[in-house]
Amino acid sequence: MRGAMLCARRLGGLRARLGARQVSTSWSPVGAAFNVRPQGRRLDLFGERQGLFGVPTLRAPEGFRVAQERALRRTEQLVARACSLPPGPQTVLLFDELSDALCRVADLADFVRIAHPEAAFREAAEEACRSIGTAVEKLNTNVELYQSLQKLLADERLANSLDPETRRVAELFLFDFEISGIHLDNDKRRRAVDLNVKILDLSSTFLMGTNLPVKAEKHLLPERVWHHFEVAGDHVVVDGLRAEAPDDLVREAAYKIFLYPNAGQLKCLEELLSNRDLLAKLVGYESFSHRALQGTMARSPETVMQFLEKLSDKLSERTMKDFEMMRGMKMKLNPQNSELMPWDPPYYSSLIRAERSSVEPGAYGPFFSLGACMDGLDVLLGRLLGVSLRVQQPAPGEVWAQDVRKLAVVHESEGLLGYIYCDFFQRADKPHQDCHFTIRGGRVREDGSYQLPVVVLMLNLPQPSRDSPTLLTPGMMENLFHEMGHAMHSMLGRTRYQHVTGLAAAVQPPRGLRCQVLLIPDVAGGGLHGLERVFPTGSFQQGGGGALPAGDAGARRGQGAPAHGGRYASEAPFHRRLRKRPRVRLGSGRGELPRGLGVTAEAEARGQSRVEETRMGARFRRRDSRLS
């Protein structure tokens, strides 16, 4: 492997190379691509349409069946070769190629089933995920395949002949087999396969349910808050917590409706937890958490609990002070209704930060259009890593929505590193989460060429208007930088094996470290060069010059409700790229709540449900009479 990461480039003398800070009066190609509304593409009646992500078979939903059948046929060939060849380094290469063949279909389908606007594509992708997932579970318990790898590592001479990277990857593959029940008899292995398939289905169903917007009948809410939500006939549609809304009643309504308990979600969650427990005990673990944590840095649930308890103790006093400050702020602004409620902390904490910085949040909004932030990222990546972002025009049929942007990531000496598809804007039926999806992992091919990684960054930013681009709040900007950190991890991790490429790596830097480029103002030589362009009202395509307002430290620190990163992984661990990799990264933007005010498990398991009419409506009307 040519160094662990390309980002080992020396940073010495950075300040001396940067020169004086300048303010540009026009957008770079990257800035313009994200600040200018996309124009409708002319219909090409004679040109050939590409498939999604340039995959020819995915011009239509039926292509997923073709893709999965090809992948499964290729899998059979690779399994036969791995089982027939004598053990050696080639065994590990075959396992990695096997993992890649499955992941290239499963990863792409995993994204399409969630994000594609057309139901036919989503359904076809869902079926492909299920088909590949079932095949993976069977491979997990293939004794002959397991033995071909076990023989390699059991032979001390052969194992010692492997280079460190190859040996580590082989050990990871073997570990994945062993925690999946490869040691069980035939009947129990079949039972483990069935449980794993069921767990994958339940996980998918539950996770999709948590992202769905919730409808409530309009008469349950005071009329004055209707315009804060989408209105569909006699209903309002709540798609998030509205944590930064100034109106207490809007935040309360969003919180109570969006997190309202749903019996279907609860049942799904209970069944999921039950099957996880059955699987863990079947393969010899005390609990599912013991199984999930084996081989990780945490190692055991006991270690996790000790860490959380120590953290809670250390932060308890500081947390109580924070909440006292928030109570004081609410008392000052709303003395008639001063009790701090579960929907209040993100909003009032952002007010306190803004007050301390002596800058109104709206004062720096015009400096942080989406184009300015992307332009700034391009500047920082270039100066820190020698990487540039280059806008490319997608081919017809390559993307799933007109406003998706395609970026090529190019290194100054290594050349093209990979591609990032930016799906940044809100649309109907799009999950309301900020995510990173791996579409294709990087690896060295058999012919020596490098398979370039492809990822998608999915945000939920408001659409630009006719007269103004999308302006980011500090929370939105922090999420953008956070997700771009994941994307660059995928681009820069030039590993030989796709099994450990990008986000499949076992250890990532803490989230705060990935965000320091945004939070440290002098990283680009004394200022946020590239993030300084002001967007003046009435001029859509070009930014005017101007400096950040006085007292802009708050903007540089990223004011606003923090976006807490999270992740989920598929349940069982065959071939870490498909099964254990944190394929989707989530940033919910939800603030922390004090003990006793947190969201209950039932509330977290909410989905689309009919709100309890009389009780909830009466509560909102009482709250409205106190606040008005």
Side-chain angles (χ1 to χ4, degrees):
M1 185 170 64
R2 293 175 52 182
M5 300 280 278
L6 295 177
C7 58
R9 185 180 179 216
R10 289 189 308 166
L11 300 180
L14 175 64
R15 287 184 182 277
R17 294 196 301 272
L18 295 183
R21 188 172 73 175
Q22 298 179 352
V23 177
S24 174
T25 58
S26 62
W27 300 114
S28 71
V30 172
F34 288 89
N35 265 2
V36 178
R37 288 175 65 87
Q39 302 297 318
R41 299 192 184 117
R42 289 180 296 178
L43 182 62
D44 187 352
L45 297 177
F46 303 101
E48 184 177 4
R49 285 178 60 82
Q50 298 252 355
L52 289 170
F53 298 100
V55 179
T57 57
L58 298 182
R59 295 187 181 97
E62 296 76 20
F64 275 104
R65 178 171 292 278
V66 176
Q68 75 188 41
E69 289 175 352
R70 286 179 180 175
L72 294 176
R73 285 197 299 271
R74 181 61 177 157
T75 295
E76 291 176 359
Q77 296 169 359
L78 291 169
V79 168
R81 286 180 62 191
C83 294
S84 61
L85 290 176
Q90 185 66 20
T91 303
V92 183
L93 291 172
L94 286 171
F95 268 74
D96 193 65
E97 190 174 351
L98 171 61
S99 175
D100 183 63
L102 293 169
C103 288
R104 290 180 65 175
V105 177
D107 286 348
L108 196 157
D110 190 45
F111 169 74
V112 172
R113 73 185 178 89
I114 292 172
H116 202 287
E118 296 181 26
F121 270 99
R122 294 196 301 269
E123 291 166 4
E126 179 72 39
E127 180 56 36
C129 286
R130 185 176 295 109
S131 174
I132 296 294
T134 301
V136 166
E137 303 309 334
K138 293 178 179 178
L139 289 173
N140 261 343
T141 54
N142 185 316
V143 175
E144 189 177 4
L145 188 63
Y146 165 74
Q147 289 174 344
S148 68
L149 189 64
Q150 195 270 339
K151 289 177 184 177
L152 171 63
L153 292 175
D155 187 316
E156 186 175 353
R157 181 185 62 82
L158 285 175
N160 290 336
S161 70
L162 302 176
D163 63 79
E165 183 184 6
T166 300
R167 180 163 183 167
R168 178 57 180 157
V169 170
E171 290 169 348
L172 289 173
F173 277 123
L174 193 70
F175 173 76
D176 289 346
F177 276 112
E178 290 173 346
I179 69 170
S180 298
I182 196 68
H183 57 285
L184 302 174
D185 60 40
N186 288 337
D187 289 341
K188 289 182 178 179
R189 285 201 303 272
R190 283 193 292 269
R191 173 63 175 155
V193 168
D194 293 341
L195 283 171
N196 270 312
V197 171
K198 191 171 184 179
I199 287 169
L200 289 170
D201 286 341
L202 289 168
S203 298
S204 175
T205 300
F206 180 77
L207 289 168
M208 289 294 288
T210 62
N211 286 324
L212 294 174
V214 182
K215 289 184 177 181
E217 294 186 18
K218 286 196 299 186
H219 70 82
L220 299 176
L221 301 177
E223 187 173 351
R224 72 177 180 84
V225 304
W226 291 357
H227 72 278
H228 290 277
F229 307 102
E230 178 186 347
V231 176
D234 293 331
H235 294 80
V236 294
V237 181
V238 181
D239 56 15
L241 293 179
R242 300 293 194 275
E244 296 182 357
D247 191 325
D248 286 13
L249 188 61
V250 172
R251 297 196 307 277
E252 179 184 2
Y255 184 94
K256 289 182 175 178
I257 294 173
F258 191 65
L259 297 179
Y260 195 77
N262 174 264
Q265 282 286 91
L266 277 173
K267 182 179 179 182
C268 180
L269 179 61
E270 290 167 356
E271 191 174 358
L272 171 61
L273 296 177
S274 174
N275 280 274
R276 281 179 168 183
D277 187 62
L278 289 173
L279 175 65
K281 288 182 168 59
L282 177 65
V283 298
Y285 289 89
E286 183 179 342
S287 70
F288 184 82
S289 58
H290 285 86
R291 177 179 179 269
L293 290 170
Q294 183 173 342
T296 68
M297 185 168 60
R299 297 186 180 179
S300 71
E302 292 76 20
T303 303
V304 172
M305 289 306 301
Q306 289 173 9
F307 171 76
L308 293 175
E309 288 168 357
K310 287 183 179 179
L311 189 64
S312 179
D313 290 341
K314 296 289 186 182
L315 293 178
S316 178
E317 184 177 349
R318 173 66 180 270
T319 301
M320 295 308 297
K321 289 180 179 178
D322 287 347
F323 278 99
E324 285 303 318
M325 292 170 60
M326 285 184 274
R327 289 187 187 97
M329 176 63 76
K330 187 171 184 181
M331 173 69 77
K332 181 169 67 174
L333 297 178
N334 192 0
Q336 293 182 341
N337 183 33
S338 59
E339 182 182 358
L340 196 68
M341 302 303 290
W343 45 87
D344 288 335
Y347 175 67
Y348 286 104
S349 62
S350 67
L351 289 184
I352 292 169
R353 287 193 294 269
E355 184 180 67
R356 286 181 170 181
S357 69
S358 70
V359 178
E360 289 292 329
Y364 47 73
F367 290 83
F368 297 108
S369 67
L370 175 59
C373 292
M374 292 300 297
D375 196 16
L377 278 167
D378 188 33
V379 170
L380 294 174
L381 292 173
R383 293 182 173 179
L384 295 176
L385 305 172
V387 168
S388 62
L389 305 176
R390 301 183 185 176
V391 180
Q392 291 198 345
Q393 180 68 34
E398 184 179 353
V399 296
W400 50 100
Q402 182 179 329
D403 55 12
V404 173
R405 311 295 200 270
K406 180 182 179 182
L407 298 176
V409 181
V410 181
H411 189 266
E412 60 187 8
S413 61
E414 299 287 335
L416 182 62
L417 299 182
Y419 297 98
I420 302 173
Y421 290 83
C422 300
D423 186 358
F424 283 174
F425 299 106
Q426 296 171 350
R427 63 175 176 269
D429 298 326
K430 182 179 177 181
H432 292 270
Q433 294 286 1
D434 295 344
C435 316
H436 169 283
F437 291 84
T438 297
I439 303 300
R440 185 177 70 194
R443 71 182 183 101
V444 178
R445 295 190 180 100
E446 193 172 359
D447 63 4
S449 64
Y450 198 81
Q451 177 174 289
L452 297 177
V454 177
V455 304
V456 173
L457 296 188
M458 190 166 73
L459 307 179
N460 274 275
L461 303 177
Q463 289 277 356
S465 67
R466 169 180 283 184
D467 300 321
S468 173
T470 298
L471 302 180
L472 304 190
T473 66
M476 293 175 183
M477 186 164 54
E478 184 180 351
N479 270 11
L480 169 63
F481 274 62
H482 173 82
E483 299 303 336
M484 185 60 75
H486 291 313
M488 295 312 299
H489 190 170
S490 296
M491 296 295 110
L492 295 167
R494 307 284 277 187
T495 56
R496 186 191 311 175
Y497 301 102
Q498 70 89 44
H499 189 64
V500 290
T501 191
L503 295 183
V507 178
Q508 291 195 67
R511 181 177 185 275
L513 295 183
R514 291 195 297 274
C515 293
Q516 289 307 307
V517 169
L518 169 62
L519 303 183
I520 299 177
D522 63 357
V523 71
L528 289 172
H529 179 73
L531 295 182
E532 294 173 329
R533 296 174 175 84
V534 180
F535 182 79
T537 303
S539 174
F540 188 89
Q541 295 191 11
Q542 185 166 327
L548 283 167
D552 64 346
R556 293 174 179 176
R557 285 194 298 267
Q559 297 289 356
H564 303 288
R567 62 181 170 183
Y568 71 80
S570 298
E571 299 304 321
F574 175 77
H575 300 333
R576 197 171 303 264
R577 286 291 305 147
L578 178 61
R579 299 286 304 287
K580 200 168 181 180
R581 186 188 65 248
R583 184 171 11 243
V584 179
R585 297 281 167 171
L586 308 179
S588 66
R590 300 179 183 178
E592 296 299 320
L593 304 178
R595 186 168 295 181
L597 292 180
V599 181
T600 63
E602 292 82 5
E604 287 289 6
R606 71 107 188 103
Q608 282 185 305
S609 63
R610 190 166 184 265
V611 177
E612 186 183 23
E613 297 185 9
T614 55
R615 288 173 53 203
M616 180 166 282
R619 285 200 298 269
F620 286 136
R621 283 189 284 274
R622 286 197 300 271
R623 300 283 297 166
D624 188 40
S625 65
R626 292 199 299 270
L627 294 173
S628 58

